[in-house]
Amino acid sequence: MEFILEKEVGDIIPQAVVFNFDQLKQELEVSLVKYQNMVITEDATKEAKEDRAKLNALKNTIDGKRKEIKKEWNKPYVEFEDKVKVLTAMIDEPIQAIDKQVKAYEQAVKDEKAAEIKLYFDETIGDLETLVPYGKIHVPKWLNSSERLSAIKKEINAIIETIRNDIKVIKDLEMECEQQMLDKYLQSFSIAEAMAEKKRWEDQVEKMLEYEKQQELKKQQEAAKIIALERAKVSAVDAKTEEVIPGQVAIMAQEDFTTVVSTDPHQQIAEPEQKLEVLIFKVAVTPEQKKALKAFFVENKIKVGRV
């Protein structure tokens, strides 16, 4: 089958539409000069309108001929175009059918190749099977017909070896954040991202330690304040204890914190002077216990002061 024109294109299409172009152009150039830079006055308005009407009529005549010629000129082309469209439509139908079958065949070939690649990967991945799914290392261009299976296998071997070595590097660091590093690495198989995760973890730990250090320092400062206050209280008690009149004991009780028990200083037995210790405490007693406690203090010559 072959498309054949019975006449050459030059013989079919007229070389030009001939009309008095040069004459008309020259006449227009002369007659239109007066309209350049013209100023319309009240007296010249009627004449200007008449000139405008003449010019519009001439323009419409010329453009009308253009449209008429174009229509006639295009008739054979439109007829030719319609016939060509019929032929191309007839050809398109089998082209589409062939194209559909070719694509189906090519897809089947790709599917078969993909299955072979996946099978080789499964046989090679070994103990990394649960960590490295095939989909994460698949390269789309492997399915192109130009990609040889032997080259693809070498590429898979290299990928698996790199992953295995990178995981070993991470584990050899023996970091507490090992799992976080592995998780980050297995997202994109980038050792750089795994190391960035290590740095992030170290920074976080450093901040936490600094925070704990500051908290401990704060506790120590608060404890020091409490100790200072207790020492101040003890000093105050010592000062008040020294003011107690010999032979009198001040008793702190639930009912009466200022009760004073008098004793006979002549009945006191001189004993070797010993170092006194100050004890601060509060007791809840019954009236009988209160009397017994007073008696105990008197009997044992214990000085008691108000807190």
Side-chain angles (χ1 to χ4, degrees):
M1 290 182 289
E2 184 180 0
F3 181 81
I4 301 175
L5 281 175
E6 296 181 357
K7 293 182 180 181
E8 295 296 330
V9 176
D11 296 333
I12 298 173
I13 301 175
Q15 296 299 313
V17 177
V18 181
F19 68 101
N20 61 334
F21 171 76
D22 293 332
Q23 176 190 347
L24 189 56
K25 181 174 180 292
Q26 185 177 5
E27 290 177 359
L28 285 172
E29 288 174 348
V30 173
S31 61
L32 297 179
V33 170
K34 68 176 182 178
Y35 298 110
Q36 296 177 3
N37 302 320
M38 71 176 297
V39 177
I40 304 298
T41 63
E42 183 178 355
D43 296 335
T45 301
K46 181 178 179 181
E47 182 181 356
K49 289 182 178 180
E50 291 176 352
D51 289 346
R52 183 181 63 184
K54 292 178 181 178
L55 292 173
N56 278 329
L58 178 60
K59 174 185 173 183
N60 292 335
T61 299
I62 295 172
D63 199 49
K65 281 296 180 182
R66 177 189 66 80
K67 294 177 181 178
E68 180 183 349
I69 293 172
K70 180 179 179 180
K71 181 179 179 181
E72 294 300 320
W73 188 296
N74 284 342
K75 277 184 179 180
Y77 172 76
V78 171
E79 182 181 354
F80 166 75
E81 184 180 43
D82 290 342
K83 291 179 179 179
V84 168
K85 287 181 178 179
V86 171
L87 297 175
T88 55
M90 293 173 63
I91 298 171
D92 280 341
E93 186 174 349
I95 287 177
Q96 292 174 2
I98 294 171
D99 184 60
K100 184 177 180 180
Q101 293 184 44
V102 169
K103 288 181 178 179
Y105 171 77
E106 290 177 343
Q107 186 60 48
V109 172
K110 286 185 177 181
D111 292 343
E112 182 179 354
K113 188 176 185 181
E116 290 184 44
I117 297 172
K118 177 65 166 55
L119 177 61
Y120 179 77
F121 172 83
D122 292 341
E123 294 172 348
T124 309
I125 193 63
D127 59 334
L128 297 179
E129 180 180 4
T130 57
L131 299 177
V132 186
Y134 172 73
K136 295 193 71 172
I137 64 107
H138 172 72
V139 179
K141 72 172 185 176
W142 286 349
L143 300 182
N144 295 343
S145 58
S146 59
E147 294 290 322
R148 297 172 62 86
L149 189 59
S150 58
I152 295 171
K153 289 180 178 180
K154 289 181 180 179
E155 196 169 343
I156 290 175
N157 292 339
I159 292 173
I160 294 175
E161 185 64 21
T162 298
I163 293 174
R164 197 179 300 279
N165 291 337
D166 288 345
I167 291 176
K168 184 177 184 302
V169 168
I170 293 172
K171 290 187 174 182
D172 286 347
L173 292 174
E174 297 183 351
M175 297 289 296
E176 292 184 21
C177 61
E178 178 180 297
Q179 190 58 52
Q180 291 94 316
M181 292 177 67
L182 286 173
D183 291 342
K184 178 61 70 173
Y185 174 77
L186 293 174
Q187 289 177 7
S188 59
F189 304 117
S190 169
I191 192 66
E193 291 190 13
M195 292 304 173
E197 178 64 18
K198 170 178 172 290
K199 179 65 168 57
R200 186 198 66 79
W201 183 86
E202 289 174 338
D203 291 344
Q204 186 176 6
V205 170
E206 184 178 351
K207 290 179 181 178
M208 186 180 299
L209 291 175
E210 180 62 24
Y211 173 77
E212 292 176 352
K213 179 180 177 181
Q214 294 298 326
Q215 291 298 107
E216 182 62 27
L217 179 60
K218 185 177 179 181
K219 289 180 180 179
Q220 292 176 0
Q221 292 173 344
E222 291 176 352
K225 289 180 181 179
I226 293 173
I227 292 173
L229 289 173
E230 291 297 331
R231 287 177 178 173
K233 289 180 180 179
V234 171
S235 298
V237 170
D238 289 344
K240 290 183 178 180
T241 302
E242 291 174 357
E243 295 174 359
V244 175
I245 301 173
Q248 292 185 335
V249 180
I251 303 298
M252 289 173 48
Q254 187 177 29
E255 299 174 354
D256 183 4
F257 294 95
T258 60
T259 303
V260 177
V261 179
S262 298
T263 61
D264 185 358
H266 299 292
Q267 296 179 358
Q268 296 180 7
I269 301 173
E271 294 181 356
E273 185 176 354
Q274 298 181 4
K275 182 179 179 181
L276 297 179
E277 295 182 3
V278 177
L279 302 178
I280 301 173
F281 62 92
K282 181 178 180 180
V283 296
V285 295
T286 64
E288 291 76 11
Q289 291 172 333
K290 176 181 176 182
K291 292 178 181 180
L293 186 59
K294 290 179 181 179
F296 175 79
F297 287 151
V298 172
E299 181 181 351
N300 290 277
K301 304 179 182 65
I302 297 175
K303 295 181 180 181
V304 181
R306 180 179 300 172
V307 178

